[in-house]
Amino acid sequence: MSDKDDIRQQLHDGFEDADYPVSSPMDLVPALPNGPSTTFESGDVSFTAMELNTQAGGRQEFPYEDVDPLVDDVMAGLDDEGYFD
């Protein structure tokens, strides 16, 4: 699995148990095993949920009704920020 696919799966797994719909990043924190300190990593790519929100959060358009559109937007933000070559 590539870094990008692995990160996508980790994000999906991390956010799928949130209480949807979610209206802000703070609504996602309780679903994460280590809250904002939860780390997503694969290969050379690594960031915490807090870093994700500050660095790649600009693509998110809350509210979200389920996990898939959220993860799509997060991945687009990570692409925009140059996380993946």
Side-chain angles (χ1 to χ4, degrees):
M1 190 179 293
S2 73
D3 291 350
K4 191 173 184 177
D5 291 339
D6 191 28
I7 292 291
R8 176 181 288 278
Q9 187 63 52
Q10 289 179 47
L11 291 169
H12 189 278
D13 293 347
F15 296 133
E16 71 182 338
D17 290 333
D19 188 16
Y20 289 92
V22 294
S23 58
S24 77
M26 294 307 296
D27 292 341
L28 299 168
V29 173
L32 298 171
N34 295 318
S37 298
T38 299
T39 301
F40 302 95
E41 58 188 339
S42 181
D44 293 338
V45 177
S46 178
F47 52 85
T48 65
M50 185 177 293
E51 291 170 330
L52 175 65
N53 186 51
T54 59
Q55 295 175 6
R59 293 288 305 244
Q60 299 168 15
E61 294 183 25
F62 288 91
Y64 287 97
E65 298 296 321
D66 61 50
V67 69
D68 292 320
L70 169 65
V71 171
D72 289 344
D73 286 353
V74 169
M75 291 300 295
L78 292 170
D79 274 335
D80 289 350
E81 293 295 318
Y83 276 84
F84 307 107
D85 295 331

